[in-house]
């Protein structure tokens, strides 16, 4: 720069000229570069303007999508809130059911008390009050209705007291009013007494004659029959006189006469039969158990597990029945025994029966071994005849439902397990070891096994009856053009019922629960198939088939959810395989595959019977044209109608071939 300004003249001017020239060259380069990129810049601006338009459209779409999403979300929120409310209601219902199960026994006992009061059974009413106060009220003392009942008991007791006093006063007043007649009767007693003594003396002589057997009585059964019919006839006359006369025959006189006759009969039969003691013993055993049977043990049971809220209650039950379960012992209170109240009652009555039998057998002067054998035989008769008969009669009663039957099965299981304790009990009181060669075993296993089998059969029957009740509520629109999009209400109610009842079945032995579940699914599948093939049903649209398919899907989902544990793979789902293959065939319209593979073991539609397919196809063929898929075929492609006719002919041919082969 110094040389430009100092050394040469005009150097500055030249420098400026060169600088200007250089600037012009750069300007030209810049202009050339700008000219080269100008079109790209214009295109970029144009694209940017287009993007702005698209961005505005996108903004509108996003805004619209957001609005629609918000609208859809509102419905989801509403449904979610509904679900939350339903869950709360479900939880509340479960709580209510649990509380009701706790309260129902109390209400039933209080209702029983009111009935006893209304029928003037005051002694029984007092016993019921005692049970309520000591057993039932403590379990539900927190409820207001319980307090009302508790407050009402003193009034009921006072009512009983007043009624009893009133009856006593009436009785005393009646005696006072009739004292003159009583005196008059007493004065006449001298003549009557002479006649009564003569009558009774003569009848005793006649009784001795009747009780004297013929010498050849033991030779035939008819001899014994005539002997006993004479005795029965004699005492029938005495019983009739006892009830139609006053004073001539008394209960004490007939009892005395009967005791005399009984000793004579025993002596006669002992002389003719070495097995008499056994017969007498068996008769006594049956008599004792009939007394036990009349205690209404089964009628008073509520057939629900025994609830216990304290250690004292637990010990009371254990003292009555030999139950051992370490898991139950570890549980905190309140808890429940698996059996119901009748189990310890039956066990106690059987022990009392054995005690009474022991007392009776001791009077026969038998050896300890013979007494032990007699006790075991009579206990076996008790279990296999009378108790088994009582259980079977109970199981067949119409008011016994599924839950009660489940409880009965559980009860018989525990009674069966208790038989070994009864054997030990007999061993202890007779001092005869069970290891003795000729010791008779108790037949509790067979007795309670028969009762369980009967209860299981009733469960299967009643479960199928409940399924039939639900299925009868089905109300399909068989001509609908489109399905509803959700399963039918009756079917969902049925599935919910089955889920709840199978939860109860979890207390049953595994095989019983599985058999009941499989039986129910098979019965439901058969009922649904019969509904499709019903002769009264003339027309079915494709929309109805699709709706029906939604219901079958729910059945399959239920089966796959393992409502009862223990099924392998899809075993339970196979109950619906006939329906599934039939519906798939019609919904996919896969007739070419069906006809080509018919009769092949690997056929996709192996379970579809040609006659079943033909019946359903005929119903769909005759559907109203407006709702009929075939009308569309005729409209859009008439060749498909010919295909349908061809399928019908081929199905009929298969059906005819099957009938000829059969």
């Amino acid at each position: 720069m110094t040389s430009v300004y100092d050394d040469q003249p005009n150097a500055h001017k030249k420098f400026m000229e060169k600088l200007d020239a250089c600037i012009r060259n750069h300007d030209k380069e810049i202009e050339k570069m700008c000219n080269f990129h100008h079109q790209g810049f214009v295109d970029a601006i144009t694209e940017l303007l287009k993007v702005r338009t698209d961005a505005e459209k996108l903004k509108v779409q996003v805004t619209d999508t957001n609005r629609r999403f918000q609208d859809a979300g509102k419905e989801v929120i509403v449904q979610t809130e509904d679900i939350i409310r339903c869950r709360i209601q479900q939880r509340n219902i479960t709580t209510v059911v649990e509380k009701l199960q706790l309260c129902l026994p109390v209400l039933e006992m209080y209702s029983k008390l009111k009935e006893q009061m209304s029928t003037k059974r005051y002694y029984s009413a007092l016993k019921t009050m005692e049970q309520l106060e000591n057993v039932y009220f403590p379990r539900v003392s927190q409820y207001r209705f319980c307090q009302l009942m508790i407050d009402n008991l003193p009034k009921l007791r006072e009512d009983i007291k007043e009624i009893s006093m009133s009856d006593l006063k009436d009785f005393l007043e009646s005696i006072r009013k009739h004292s003159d007649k009583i005196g008059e009767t007493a004065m006449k007693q001298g003549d009557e007494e002479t006649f009564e003594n003569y009558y009774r003396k003569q009848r005793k002589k006649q009784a001795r004659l009747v009780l004297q057997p013929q010498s050849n009585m033991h030779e035939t059964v008819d001899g014994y029959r005539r002997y006993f019919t004479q005795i029965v006839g004699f005492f029938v006359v005495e019983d009739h006189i006892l009830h139609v006369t006053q004073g001539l025959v008394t209960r004490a006189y007939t009892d005395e006469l009967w005791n005399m006759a009984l000793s004579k009969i025993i002596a006669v039969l002992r002389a003719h039969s070495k097995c008499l003691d056994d017969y007498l013993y068996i008769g006594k055993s049956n008599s004792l158990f009939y007394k036990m049977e009349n205690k209404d043990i089964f009628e008073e049971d509520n057939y629900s597990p025994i609830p216990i809220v304290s250690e004292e209650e637990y010990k009371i039950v254990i003292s009555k029945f030999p139950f051992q379960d370490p898991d139950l012992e570890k549980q905190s209170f309140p808890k429940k025994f698996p059996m119901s109240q009748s189990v310890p009652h039956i066990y106690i009555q059987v022990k009392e029966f054995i005690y009474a039998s022991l007392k009776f057998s001791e009077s026969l002067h038998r050896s300890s071994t013979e007494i032990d054998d007699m006790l075991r035989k009579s206990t076996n008769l008790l279990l296999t005849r009378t108790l088994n008969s009582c259980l079977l009669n109970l199981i067949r009663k119409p008011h016994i439902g599924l839950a009660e039957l489940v409880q009965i099965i559980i009860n018989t299981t525990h009674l069966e397990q208790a038989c070994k304790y009864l054997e030990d009990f007999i061993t202890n009181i007779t001092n005869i070891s069970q290891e003795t060669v000729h010791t008779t075993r108790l037949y509790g296993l067979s007795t309670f096994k028969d009762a369980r089998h009967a209860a299981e059969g009733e469960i299967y029957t009643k479960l199928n009856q409940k399924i039939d009740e639900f299925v009868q509520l089905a109300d399909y629109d068989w001509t609908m053009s489109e399905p509803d999009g959700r399963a039918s209400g009756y079917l969902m109610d049925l599935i919910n019922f089955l889920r709840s009842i199978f939860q109860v079945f979890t207390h049953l032995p595994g095989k019983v629960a599985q058999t009941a579940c499989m039986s129910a699914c098979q019965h439901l599948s058969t009922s649904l198939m019969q509904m499709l093939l019903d002769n009264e049903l003339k027309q079915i649209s494709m929309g109805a088939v699709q709706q029906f398919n939604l219901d079958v899907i729910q059945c399959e989902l239920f089966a796959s959810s393992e409502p009862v544990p223990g099924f392998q793979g899809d075993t339970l789902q196979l109950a619906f395989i006939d329906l599934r293959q039939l519906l798939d065939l019609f919904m996919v319209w896969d007739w070419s595959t069906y006809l080509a593979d018919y009769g092949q073991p690997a056929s996709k539609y192996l379970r579809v019977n040609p006659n079943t397919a033909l019946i359903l196809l005929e119903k769909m063929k005759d559907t109203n044209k407006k709702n009929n898929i075939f009308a569309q075929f005729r409209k859009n492609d008439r060749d498909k109608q010919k295909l349908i006719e061809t399928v019908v002919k081929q199905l009929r041919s298969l059906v005819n071939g099957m009938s000829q082969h059969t």
Side-chain angles (χ1 to χ4, degrees):
M1 291 295 294
T2 303
S3 61
V4 171
Y5 287 98
D6 296 337
D7 296 339
Q8 298 181 9
N10 300 325
H12 176 265
K13 182 178 179 181
K14 291 179 180 179
F15 172 75
M16 292 302 296
E17 289 176 354
K18 289 182 178 181
L19 183 60
D20 289 340
C22 183
I23 290 172
R24 284 194 296 272
N25 288 335
H26 281 294
D27 288 342
K28 288 180 181 179
E29 291 293 331
I30 291 172
E31 184 178 359
K32 187 184 297 183
M33 184 177 295
C34 289
N35 288 335
F36 178 78
H37 291 288
H38 176 71
Q39 187 60 42
F41 174 75
V42 172
D43 293 340
I45 295 298
T46 302
E47 290 294 329
L48 184 60
L49 292 174
K50 290 181 180 180
V51 168
R52 184 176 67 177
T53 303
D54 292 339
E56 290 176 353
K57 291 181 180 178
L58 180 61
K59 180 181 178 181
V60 172
Q61 291 176 355
V62 169
T63 303
D64 182 62
T65 301
N66 180 63
R67 178 184 56 78
R68 287 188 284 110
F69 181 76
Q70 292 295 333
D71 292 341
K74 290 178 182 177
E75 184 177 351
V76 173
I77 291 172
V78 171
Q79 292 178 351
T80 303
E81 292 174 350
D82 290 341
I83 291 174
I84 293 173
R85 282 196 298 272
C86 289
R87 291 283 169 80
I88 294 173
Q89 291 174 354
Q90 185 180 21
R91 186 173 66 250
N92 292 340
I93 290 171
T94 302
T95 303
V96 168
V97 169
E98 292 176 353
K99 300 300 182 184
L100 284 176
Q101 288 177 341
L102 191 63
C103 295
L104 277 176
V106 181
L107 297 174
E108 289 172 355
M109 286 297 292
Y110 194 78
S111 175
K112 179 181 177 181
L113 170 62
K114 301 296 286 186
E115 180 186 356
Q116 290 168 341
M117 290 292 294
S118 63
T119 55
K120 299 183 179 181
R121 294 158 56 200
Y122 300 120
Y123 178 76
S124 298
L126 289 173
K127 298 296 288 184
T128 302
M129 288 184 195
E130 184 178 349
Q131 279 188 295
L132 283 169
E133 289 176 325
N134 296 333
V135 179
Y136 291 93
F137 283 161
R139 299 172 183 169
V140 293
S141 57
Q142 69 272 28
Y143 299 115
R144 191 163 62 90
F145 79 87
C146 178
Q147 190 59 46
L148 294 174
M149 292 180 180
I150 293 173
D151 295 340
N152 196 37
L153 287 189
K155 181 179 181 302
L156 292 177
R157 279 200 175 91
E158 190 64 29
D159 290 343
I160 293 175
K161 179 180 177 181
E162 291 177 359
I163 293 170
S164 301
M165 289 299 296
S166 176
D167 290 345
L168 178 60
K169 290 177 181 177
D170 292 342
F171 172 71
L172 295 174
E173 180 66 21
S174 175
I175 291 176
R176 187 190 65 79
K177 288 181 179 179
H178 297 89
S179 59
D180 56 339
K181 293 183 178 180
I182 294 173
E184 181 182 351
T185 302
M187 293 176 67
K188 294 179 180 179
Q189 189 65 32
D191 295 337
E192 292 180 1
E193 186 175 351
T194 301
F195 177 76
E196 289 170 2
N197 289 336
Y198 174 78
Y199 172 81
R200 294 175 185 177
K201 185 177 180 180
Q202 293 299 316
R203 289 296 284 172
K204 284 184 178 179
K205 290 181 180 179
Q206 293 174 6
R208 290 189 180 96
L209 291 174
V210 168
L211 293 169
Q212 185 64 37
Q214 296 181 1
S215 59
N216 62 345
M217 179 187 73
H218 65 282
E219 295 178 358
T220 63
V221 175
D222 286 337
Y224 283 101
R225 182 180 295 114
R226 285 192 299 270
Y227 179 67
F228 285 116
T229 54
Q230 289 174 358
I231 296 172
V232 171
F234 178 88
F235 281 100
V236 166
V237 172
E238 288 302 297
D239 184 72
H240 179 72
I241 294 173
L242 173 66
H243 288 88
V244 299
T245 64
Q246 295 182 356
L248 184 60
V249 175
T250 64
R251 174 60 66 184
Y253 162 74
T254 54
D255 288 344
E256 178 188 357
L257 202 59
W258 171 250
N259 289 331
M260 183 269 291
L262 185 60
S263 62
K264 181 64 175 177
I265 293 169
I266 291 174
V268 169
L269 294 180
R270 272 184 177 152
H272 292 85
S273 174
K274 63 179 181 180
C275 299
L276 174 68
D277 287 347
D278 289 344
Y279 298 150
L280 290 173
Y281 185 73
I282 292 170
K284 184 68 175 177
S285 301
N286 287 335
S287 175
L288 287 170
F289 188 71
Y290 285 135
K291 293 179 181 178
M292 175 184 124
E293 184 183 9
N294 290 331
K295 292 183 181 294
D296 296 328
I297 291 175
F298 298 112
E299 294 298 329
E300 294 175 357
D301 197 356
N302 59 8
Y303 297 99
S304 59
I306 303 173
I308 46 175
V309 297
S310 65
E311 184 68 27
E312 290 74 15
E313 289 187 5
Y314 182 85
K315 290 180 179 178
I316 289 173
V317 176
I318 292 297
S319 67
K320 295 179 180 178
F321 184 75
F323 180 83
Q324 296 178 353
D325 186 352
D327 293 334
L328 183 64
E329 291 180 6
K330 295 176 184 177
Q331 294 178 16
S332 58
F333 294 99
K335 52 188 175 182
K336 295 180 180 180
F337 283 97
M339 65 279 188
S340 66
Q341 196 65 51
S342 64
V343 172
H345 286 170
I346 292 172
Y347 185 78
I348 290 172
Q349 291 300 322
V350 173
K351 287 183 67 175
E352 289 181 359
F353 165 81
I354 295 173
Y355 258 131
S357 300
L358 175 65
K359 295 297 182 184
F360 177 77
S361 62
E362 287 174 346
S363 67
L364 301 177
H365 308 293
R366 295 294 189 91
S367 67
S368 297
T369 303
E370 289 175 316
I371 290 175
D372 181 86
D373 187 60
M374 292 170 70
L375 286 179
R376 294 178 187 274
K377 286 181 178 178
S378 63
T379 305
N380 276 332
L381 285 174
L382 179 81
L383 297 175
T384 58
R385 292 185 184 177
T386 313
L387 181 55
N388 189 41
S389 176
C390 291
L391 287 171
L392 294 177
N393 290 335
L394 172 69
I395 289 167
R396 297 188 182 103
K397 288 186 176 181
H399 71 274
I400 297 296
L402 288 168
E404 288 82 2
L405 290 169
V406 170
Q407 188 61 55
I408 289 172
I409 291 176
I410 295 171
N411 288 353
T412 56
T413 301
H414 290 285
L415 286 171
E416 178 184 321
Q417 294 170 354
C419 283
K420 63 180 181 180
Y421 296 100
L422 292 175
E423 289 188 328
D424 294 340
F425 177 69
I426 295 175
T427 298
N428 292 334
I429 63 177
T430 61
N431 292 321
I432 300 298
S433 173
Q434 296 182 37
E435 306 302 324
T436 304
V437 176
H438 300 292
T439 299
T440 303
R441 310 296 297 184
L442 295 186
Y443 302 147
L445 179 63
S446 60
T447 297
F448 299 118
K449 185 177 181 181
D450 291 343
R452 271 200 302 277
H453 284 169
E456 291 165 11
E458 284 294 312
I459 283 178
Y460 306 148
T461 301
K462 289 184 182 293
L463 190 56
N464 289 346
Q465 289 173 351
K466 291 296 294 184
I467 291 174
D468 291 340
E469 291 175 8
F470 278 100
V471 172
Q472 288 172 3
L473 299 176
D475 186 23
Y476 289 100
D477 178 6
W478 295 109
T479 61
M480 62 169 51
S481 58
E482 296 291 337
D484 292 338
R486 60 181 181 274
S488 303
Y490 86 91
L491 190 86
M492 297 308 299
D493 292 340
L494 170 57
I495 289 176
N496 290 333
F497 164 76
L498 292 176
R499 289 190 191 280
S500 63
I501 202 65
F502 287 142
Q503 287 179 354
V504 178
F505 284 10
T506 55
H507 302 294
L508 290 174
K511 292 295 183 182
V512 178
Q514 291 171 18
T515 303
C517 187
M518 176 59 77
S519 173
C521 288
Q522 289 175 339
H523 185 74
L524 175 56
S525 177
T526 301
S527 299
L528 292 175
M529 181 68 80
Q530 290 174 348
M531 193 184 300
L532 281 178
L533 305 180
D534 186 3
N535 291 333
E536 298 296 323
L537 179 60
K538 303 301 182 183
Q539 298 179 346
I540 302 179
S541 66
M542 181 58 75
V545 171
Q546 293 169 343
Q547 178 63 42
F548 200 81
N549 179 63
L550 294 177
D551 292 347
V552 174
I553 289 174
Q554 289 299 321
C555 295
E556 292 170 324
L557 290 174
F558 168 72
S560 65
S561 67
E562 198 177 14
V564 169
F567 286 105
Q568 296 182 351
D570 58 352
T571 302
L572 195 56
Q573 290 174 267
L574 292 177
F576 301 97
I577 189 64
D578 290 10
L579 277 171
R580 170 47 51 216
Q581 291 189 5
L582 179 66
L583 293 173
D584 284 349
L585 173 61
F586 275 81
M587 294 178 64
V588 179
W589 208 249
D590 197 9
W591 294 106
S592 58
T593 301
Y594 174 74
L595 295 171
D597 295 345
Y598 177 75
Q600 300 298 321
S603 173
K604 183 179 179 181
Y605 304 102
L606 182 64
R607 306 286 298 183
V608 179
N609 186 286
N611 189 50
T612 303
L614 178 61
I615 292 173
L616 185 57
L617 188 60
E618 291 285 358
K619 292 177 185 290
M620 296 182 68
K621 180 181 177 183
D622 295 334
T623 307
N624 190 301
K625 292 183 178 180
K626 286 196 298 183
N627 297 324
N628 188 5
I629 186 174
F630 302 116
Q632 297 177 9
F633 288 160
R634 287 192 291 271
K635 180 179 179 181
N636 300 327
D637 190 353
R638 298 184 182 277
D639 290 339
K640 291 187 178 180
Q641 176 61 29
K642 296 180 181 179
L643 172 61
I644 296 168
E645 297 296 336
T646 302
V647 170
V648 169
K649 290 179 181 178
Q650 290 179 314
L651 288 175
R652 286 175 179 164
S653 176
L654 290 176
V655 171
N656 293 333
M658 289 173 58
S659 61
Q660 291 175 2
H661 180 72
T662 302

